[in-house]
Amino acid sequence: MNEITDLTDDELMTRGASGDQDSLRILIERWETPVFAFLERMLGSSEEAQEIAQETFFRMCSHADRYRPSGRFRSWLFRIAGNLARSKLRRRAVLRFVRFDTGIHTVPTVDSMPDHSLEYNELREHVRNALSRISPRQRQALVLRHYHDMSYQEIADTMKTTVSAVESLLHRGMNALKMDFERRKVFP
Amino acid sequence: MTGRSDHVENRIQAFLDNELAPHEVERVRSHCAECPRCRKALEQAVAVRDILHADRNAIPLRPMWPHVRGRLNPIPSRRIRPAFALGVAAAGLAGILLGVSVGSIKGDRYGEAFIDTGYSTESVDALQTPATLSELYFSTLGTNGS
């Protein structure tokens, strides 16, 4: 017999919808790091990312009965997180001038550092600040693609848009980052 | 020779993301081999991607489940509930009424003393302190008994 931790996301959601809190706990433990990382890049603040991630998981649990198992749990979950993050950004009313905090949570090993003259933390700061200067939708598409390895179709499902719109968002977002990096001499 | 109208800059991201159909992959590849502008765009896109990928994922500040569970199963509030407050008030009122009735019995017994000392019931209530009440009680006893 399978352990509960071996169940798929869809199976856990089905159990959770019928009141099994252990299933919901396992789902949260499985997804809290990716969701937090996504929100931290969207919002630029660890504390706000924590707050919105908790709200995301609360909604996941309280709306579990609305989820239709279809193998697209990740899209569904990140759609909740993305919508909450964009609402949060709208409430701030300073969409393009978000100040990113610099709290470091994980430090890469020397081997994993790219071959750049910039120190890792400085590079990280450049990346986060550059992300904060593009539109929230471009940022969302870029983060889902580059940090969560989503396909264009999955990003389209998550953002409720078309694959060609995703391609356009990514193209414009990457161009904006490239110009930002050039202006700040992040790469030669 | 690839014509300049065939620039593939707007497909480079999809090319890097393996999102193009095989015939388009070949078109982008062969075009970039010949076109310095698109080749440069491809190199820059790779550089941007490498910079993005250098940033590691952050980890949550705190585990999420305790917070979510707390909201799903709210712990009953420690605030006094209205029904409980009503019960306490009723008990208090009963106590006061009992006290008043005992006091009136004692007042009847020692009625003269109250008259003698000039204390009215209202003035006794206004004193509020048990010490003063007992002083009053014993003083009335003394007045009456001795």
Side-chain angles (χ1 to χ4, degrees), chain B residues 5 11-12 16 22 26 28 33 50 52 59 62 66 77 87 91 99-100 105 108 113 116 119 130 132:
Chain B
S5 59
R11 307 313 310 274
I12 281 175
L16 288 176
E26 191 48 46
V28 171
D50 289 348
L52 284 178
I59 57 171
R62 297 175 288 280
S77 169
V100 167
I105 293 167
D108 287 345
D116 288 348
Y119 285 107
T132 312

Side-chain angles (χ1 to χ4, degrees), chain B residues 16-51:
Chain B
L16 288 176
D17 290 336
N18 292 320
E19 290 277 347
L20 293 182
H23 71 279
E24 284 192 286
V25 169
E26 191 48 46
R27 185 170 76 89
V28 171
R29 189 173 284 147
S30 59
H31 179 89
C32 288
E34 296 182 5
C35 174
R37 174 173 145 183
C38 288
R39 189 164 55 249
K40 186 180 178 195
L42 176 61
E43 288 165 0
Q44 287 180 326
V46 170
V48 172
R49 186 187 62 181
D50 289 348
I51 289 170

Side-chain angles (χ1 to χ4, degrees), chain A residues 41 55 147 152 167 182, chain B residues 11 17 44 52 54 57 71:
Chain A
R41 287 193 175 96
E55 183 62 28
Y147 298 105
Y152 285 15
E167 187 178 349
E182 276 176 340
Chain B
R11 307 313 310 274
D17 290 336
Q44 287 180 326
L52 284 178
N57 277 348
R71 288 179 69 188

Side-chain angles (χ1 to χ4, degrees), chain B residues 113-114 117 119-120 123-124 127 130-143:
Chain B
F114 279 103
T117 53
Y119 285 107
S120 66
S123 61
V124 170
L127 293 173
T132 312
L133 283 170
S134 66
E135 281 170 14
L136 173 66
Y137 177 73
F138 286 114
S139 67
T140 55
L141 277 179
T143 307

Side-chain angles (χ1 to χ4, degrees), chain B residues 55-82:
Chain B
D55 185 15
R56 307 277 115 183
N57 277 348
I59 57 171
L61 304 180
R62 297 175 288 280
M64 310 269 172
W65 172 245
H67 173 90
V68 174
R69 184 185 54 197
R71 288 179 69 188
L72 291 173
N73 306 318
I75 298 167
S77 169
R78 283 178 170 272
R79 281 188 312 132
I80 296 171
R81 293 178 177 180

